[in-house]
Amino acid sequence: MNLAVSKDMKDGVRTVSLGQGQGPKATAAINEGFGTGAWIVLQNCHLATSYMPTLESIVENFEANMDTISPMFRLWLTAMPDPNLPVSVLQNGIKMTVEPPKGLKANLIRAYLAYDPQWFESSTKPHTFKKMLFGLSFFHALILERRKFGPLGWNIRYEFSDPDRHISSAQLKMFLEEYTTVQWSALN
C-alpha cells in the first residue's frame, strides 16, 4: 500500500482475496483495471488452483491486447509457494519475496516500523498500551525467530504472520480504549 500511496494510486487499488467462488470477481476486476488503469491485487493465489488456468490465459493475452490496456494498469499476485502456480505467469512477472528478518532485535524493529506513528501515539492509555504492545511485538518476534529450531520442543509449527500481529495490535488497542479497566480475560 505504501507504493500505491507514493504513486497517488491508493484509490485505484482493488483487492480480491481468491478462494471459493472468487474467480469471476477476479476476472471482472482485471477487465475493469484494463480500462481504468487500476492496480488489481489477487491475494492467496495458491488457494485458487482451479482459477490458475484462467489467470494464465488472461496474462498470456496481455501482449495481444496492449492497445486496449491502460499504461497505468498493474496486476499484483500474492501467493505461498505452490506447484500449481502457472510457470508462464511467474516467468513473465517480477517476483518479490518477503522474508522475516533474522534475530529478535531485527524482528522488533520491523514490527515497530510497521506501526503508523499517529496510531501508535493516539491511545488514551499510552503507558499501558505501549507496554502491552511491546509484549505482543516481542511474542511475535519470538515466534518468528523460533522457526529456525524446527520441531525441537514444539509439537506443531505455529504461524503468527505480520497480518496476525497487526490484527492483534488493533484488538489490543480497541480493548484498552473501550473499557475503563484492562480486560485481562479477553486479552489472554
Side-chain angles (χ1 to χ4, degrees):
M1 268 323 246
N2 292 340
L3 178 63
V5 170
S6 70
K7 300 289 185 184
D8 292 326
M9 286 296 296
K10 186 177 180 187
D11 295 331
V13 176
R14 177 135 183 245
T15 303
V16 179
S17 290
L18 292 177
Q20 192 172 15
Q22 297 300 308
K25 289 182 182 178
T27 301
I30 292 169
N31 290 334
E32 177 188 323
F34 284 166
T36 64
W39 288 9
I40 309 302
V41 181
L42 302 183
Q43 296 178 325
N44 302 321
C45 291
H46 60 284
L47 298 177
T49 55
S50 63
Y51 181 67
M52 291 303 103
T54 305
L55 178 63
E56 184 174 24
S57 171
I58 291 170
V59 171
E60 285 175 354
N61 289 322
F62 278 178
E63 224 172 297
N65 297 323
M66 286 306 280
D67 55 330
T68 60
I69 298 176
S70 169
M72 295 299 296
F73 172 74
R74 300 290 183 273
L75 178 61
W76 302 85
L77 310 174
T78 69
M80 299 291 287
D82 191 294
N84 294 315
L85 293 174
V87 174
S88 63
V89 172
L90 295 174
Q91 288 176 337
N92 290 320
I94 298 172
K95 290 149 293 289
M96 296 182 283
T97 61
V98 178
E99 295 186 20
K102 299 202 183 319
L104 287 174
K105 183 178 179 181
N107 273 306
L108 280 169
I109 290 170
R110 179 178 174 196
Y112 274 88
L113 288 175
Y115 296 127
D116 177 39
Q118 191 174 17
W119 177 86
F120 183 75
E121 296 294 338
S122 66
S123 176
T124 57
K125 300 172 185 143
H127 181 72
T128 304
F129 172 66
K130 288 178 182 178
K131 278 187 156 193
M132 294 181 85
L133 186 63
F134 176 79
L136 173 67
S137 299
F138 187 81
F139 176 68
H140 177 259
L142 188 66
I143 295 294
L144 291 179
E145 188 64 18
R146 183 70 183 87
R147 288 181 187 171
K148 72 180 178 186
F149 297 107
L152 293 174
W154 292 51
N155 290 336
I156 58 172
R157 184 176 175 179
Y158 184 74
E159 293 289 333
F160 188 36
S161 63
D162 287 342
D164 294 328
R165 180 185 38 82
H166 177 75
I167 290 166
S168 298
S169 59
Q171 283 191 323
L172 168 66
K173 188 170 185 182
M174 179 190 71
F175 277 112
L176 287 176
E177 300 299 320
E178 289 186 7
Y179 298 97
T180 55
T181 60
V182 176
Q183 300 297 303
W184 294 110
S185 59
L187 292 173
N188 281 334

